[in-house]
Amino acid sequence: MKKHIVINVAGKVQGVFYRASTKAVADQLGVKGIVRNQPDGSVYIEAEAEPGILEMFVEWCNEGPEKAHVTAVSTAEAELKNYRNFEVVKK
């Protein structure tokens, strides 16, 4: 059964290929959703997948790409939106 979670990632996560890396990992795991930068310097992610896959995805979000420095990750469950793919949203 698919779940939808909202993930907020804080730290040095902009300008370090965080969004592109997130998309690559999401595609690899089969996670659907979106990722975008927030004005406050954090990264916002909506992710949909099986619970076990979301766990692995959130684990990756805590690490991020090589140059990122993640200080906090929060997750919350939300309503399923049935995304078709994983997209980097550019403002």
Side-chain angles (χ1 to χ4, degrees):
M1 177 92 176
K2 257 195 207 169
K3 270 173 54 177
H4 177 106
I5 60 170
V6 172
I7 308 166
N8 280 294
V9 186
K12 186 182 169 220
V13 291
Q14 289 190 14
V16 293
F17 299 107
Y18 198 97
R19 288 176 305 167
S21 304
T22 301
K23 177 174 168 45
V25 171
D27 289 347
Q28 212 176 355
L29 291 172
V31 174
K32 313 286 186 222
I34 58 160
V35 58
R36 69 170 180 250
N37 283 342
Q38 295 290 77
D40 67 0
S42 67
V43 170
Y44 174 86
I45 303 164
E46 287 190 19
E48 295 185 347
E50 300 294 317
I53 290 174
L54 286 176
E55 251 174 67
M56 287 191 281
F57 185 64
V58 170
E59 245 172 67
W60 182 86
C61 290
N62 278 285
E63 294 294 311
E66 204 182 336
K67 289 186 168 67
H69 180 71
V70 178
T71 54
V73 174
S74 69
T75 61
E77 264 191 68
E79 210 173 302
L80 214 52
K81 291 187 183 171
N82 293 310
Y83 284 106
R84 290 226 173 94
N85 52 20
F86 196 90
E87 241 174 88
V88 175
V89 177
K90 295 189 163 72
K91 291 227 163 113

